[in-house]
Amino acid sequence: MIYLRLIAESIRFAWQALRANMLRTLLSLLGVTIGIFAIISVFTLVDSLERNVRDSMSFIGDKVLYVQKWPWSFGGSYPWWKYFQRPEPTMREFKLLDRNLANDAGVAIFADKGGSTYKYRSNSFSDGMLMGVTYDYSKVSEIPIEEGRYFVPQEVDASRNVIVIGKEIAETLFPYGSAIGQELKVGGQRFRVIGVVEKQGENMFGAPNFDQMGVIPFGAFSKMYDTGPDGVGTTIAVKGRDEDEGLQELEYEVRGMMRNIRGLRPRDDDSFAINRPEMATQAVTGFFDVIGLAGWVIGGFAILVGGFGIANIMFVSVKERTNIIGIQKSLGAKNYFILFQFLFESVFLSLIGGGIGILLVFLITIIPQDMMKISLSVSNIVLGLGVSAVIGMLSGIIPAVLASNLDPVIAIRSK
């Protein structure tokens, strides 16, 4: 009970100090408010941006290896001349990998072409994407069907003219009815719609999604466009199992099998690239770590100013209440009681400043955003309050020690 009374009394003293000189206190707390606002707003923006980027990159799948001609690059110079003469992955290589890999959860080959125009009677959808896939593509990348169904193996094997379309294409071509069973035209060929994908929405950096895409069997795509060395680029996607170790083993297995298929000697460099989504994730994480560090630096200077402001308030409070401290000590109050009383007061004042900063961040998050959804997480709220509490303790520790060490006789005589 004594500690509860101590906390309650400290809060009451802090509130009295706040009311006694409102302007001075608010100006002193402004540094903490600005500092916490800077740190938490940066962290909130970073978390929201990182979440939106990861969502935008979700189309590349999870635990997937991509066998391609070109390696992915994230910054720095790109030696394209080293990869220019590499051959594209072929259907033969896909079939051999699909038949012989032991640690995979699915293998698919796909190719896509932009700038496709979809037509149905007088309606048309321009600048869409057309993708040709093999059956196991649904294992590599999730295709959330809203209406209709995905391909059956017989349709893919027979290269039938069936198509699964994105929501935007469906809404544009068939605004007044269901698209299922209708025939549309793309690339000069007629396709029967068998499925419509759930709406994905816009994503960061213009990353592709299924809203503006049609998916057809790979054989049907190959009839329309050349997928050879001088044609549309192809990609072999290999889905790994859930274990990280298994994915590493799968990468070794894919690399060894591809080198064997292409007849590469031990000293020859790979004539293909094996790209992993983790490469993009690591690049994104490194970028946001730098931004987060910048937020700490910017906010740190403001918090430093705020800390000195709170320390100034506490020194003034000790001076104004020296007589009261003497009376408390003469009545038996221990040094630690006085110490904790002023320390709690300092922390309480700092929490007020930090709470205002967090409130400002929250008010920003409720403003409708077109680019991305910004949300204040519980972890960032806890971080902001935690930093505020630490600043309060550091700012109030010296005044609290001075107050706890006052001589009661001298303190009572002071005016």
Side-chain angles (χ1 to χ4, degrees):
M1 291 298 296
I2 190 172
Y3 291 105
L4 293 178
R5 287 169 50 197
L6 175 63
I7 294 173
E9 188 173 324
S10 300
I11 293 175
R12 182 167 57 84
F13 276 126
W15 183 249
Q16 289 176 353
L18 184 64
R19 293 180 58 187
N21 197 327
M22 185 73 73
L23 182 61
R24 181 194 69 186
T25 306
L26 290 179
L27 289 176
S28 299
L29 297 182
L30 188 61
V32 176
T33 298
I34 294 175
I36 295 299
F37 173 78
I39 292 174
I40 302 305
S41 61
V42 168
F43 274 46
T44 299
L45 288 173
V46 166
D47 290 347
S48 301
L49 185 59
E50 186 171 5
R51 181 173 58 254
N52 279 267
V53 169
R54 291 181 185 278
D55 290 343
S56 299
M57 293 169 56
S58 62
F59 71 95
I60 61 180
D62 182 39
K63 307 290 185 184
V64 180
L65 304 177
Y66 291 92
V67 182
Q68 297 172 300
K69 173 180 178 178
W70 303 92
W72 295 350
S73 176
F74 304 96
S77 60
Y78 189 77
W80 58 269
W81 56 89
K82 294 173 60 177
Y83 318 121
F84 183 71
Q85 297 296 331
R86 286 180 173 181
E88 294 280 356
T90 64
M91 177 59 75
R92 171 179 170 270
E93 292 169 341
F94 155 70
K95 290 181 178 179
L96 288 172
L97 289 175
D98 188 30
R99 188 182 306 124
N100 297 306
L101 286 176
N103 298 310
D104 69 292
V107 183
I109 186 170
F110 64 91
D112 56 68
K113 183 169 177 56
S116 299
T117 299
Y118 295 80
K119 295 181 179 180
Y120 175 75
R121 296 179 181 174
S122 60
N123 298 330
S124 65
F125 183 91
S126 302
D127 202 25
M129 183 175 288
L130 183 66
M131 176 181 285
V133 304
T134 51
Y135 178 73
D136 278 352
Y137 182 78
S138 60
K139 297 180 181 178
V140 172
S141 180
E142 183 182 0
I143 303 180
I145 301 295
E146 180 182 85
E147 185 182 5
R149 60 176 176 82
Y150 185 64
F151 309 116
V152 296
Q154 292 82 358
E155 291 171 333
V156 176
D157 294 340
S159 302
R160 294 178 184 170
N161 282 18
V162 290
I163 187 170
V164 176
I165 59 176
K167 191 67 174 178
E168 285 189 34
I169 299 176
E171 291 174 345
T172 302
L173 300 187
F174 311 100
Y176 304 113
S178 174
I180 304 302
Q182 303 292 342
E183 284 194 352
L184 57 77
K185 199 171 185 179
V186 58
Q189 299 291 322
R190 291 187 176 276
F191 288 85
R192 180 169 58 89
V193 180
I194 62 171
V196 177
V197 181
E198 291 179 3
K199 190 172 184 62
Q200 306 291 297
E202 294 183 1
N203 49 41
M204 300 290 293
F205 309 123
N209 59 49
F210 289 110
D211 289 347
Q212 302 176 351
M213 184 185 297
V215 183
I216 63 176
F218 188 83
F221 185 90
S222 300
K223 294 176 184 177
M224 299 167 60
Y225 304 105
D226 179 20
T227 56
D230 299 323
V232 180
T234 54
T235 299
I236 298 175
V238 184
K239 177 74 172 180
R241 304 186 190 278
D242 293 336
E243 306 84 10
D244 292 334
E245 297 80 4
L247 187 64
Q248 189 65 51
E249 291 179 4
L250 178 60
E251 183 175 351
Y252 294 146
E253 187 181 6
V254 170
R255 174 169 279 108
M257 196 168 295
M258 283 295 297
R259 289 182 62 87
N260 183 55
I261 293 171
R262 294 192 172 182
L264 299 177
R265 293 172 296 183
R267 293 185 179 181
D268 292 339
D269 293 332
D270 292 342
S271 61
F272 55 89
I274 298 180
N275 297 313
R276 295 175 59 168
E278 289 84 352
M279 299 162 59
T281 303
Q282 291 171 1
V284 169
T285 301
F287 172 72
F288 288 124
D289 286 345
V290 174
I291 297 179
L293 179 61
W296 276 110
V297 172
I298 295 171
F301 284 109
I303 287 179
L304 183 64
V305 174
F308 281 113
I310 292 176
N312 179 63
I313 293 175
M314 297 310 300
F315 278 118
V316 172
S317 181
V318 170
K319 184 176 181 180
E320 291 176 346
R321 287 156 48 190
T322 300
N323 185 262
I324 297 176
I325 295 171
I327 294 173
Q328 287 178 320
K329 283 198 164 190
S330 66
L331 293 176
K334 303 294 184 181
N335 286 354
Y336 73 84
F337 183 90
I338 305 298
L339 175 71
F340 285 142
Q341 186 180 68
F342 280 90
L343 206 56
F344 283 138
E345 182 177 337
S346 175
V347 170
F348 179 71
L349 289 173
S350 184
L351 285 174
I352 292 177
I356 296 173
I358 294 174
L359 177 62
L360 294 176
V361 176
F362 174 74
L363 293 177
I364 292 178
T365 63
I366 63 177
I367 299 174
Q369 303 290 331
D370 294 330
M371 286 290 294
M372 64 177 180
K373 182 180 179 181
I374 301 176
S375 58
L376 178 61
S377 65
V378 176
S379 60
N380 282 334
I381 295 176
V382 173
L383 174 64
L385 295 177
V387 171
S388 300
V390 170
I391 294 301
M393 292 184 65
L394 294 177
S395 302
I397 188 65
I398 295 179
V401 169
L402 293 177
S404 65
N405 290 330
L406 286 175
D407 184 274
V409 177
I410 297 176
I412 291 175
R413 293 176 177 176
S414 65
K415 296 182 179 179

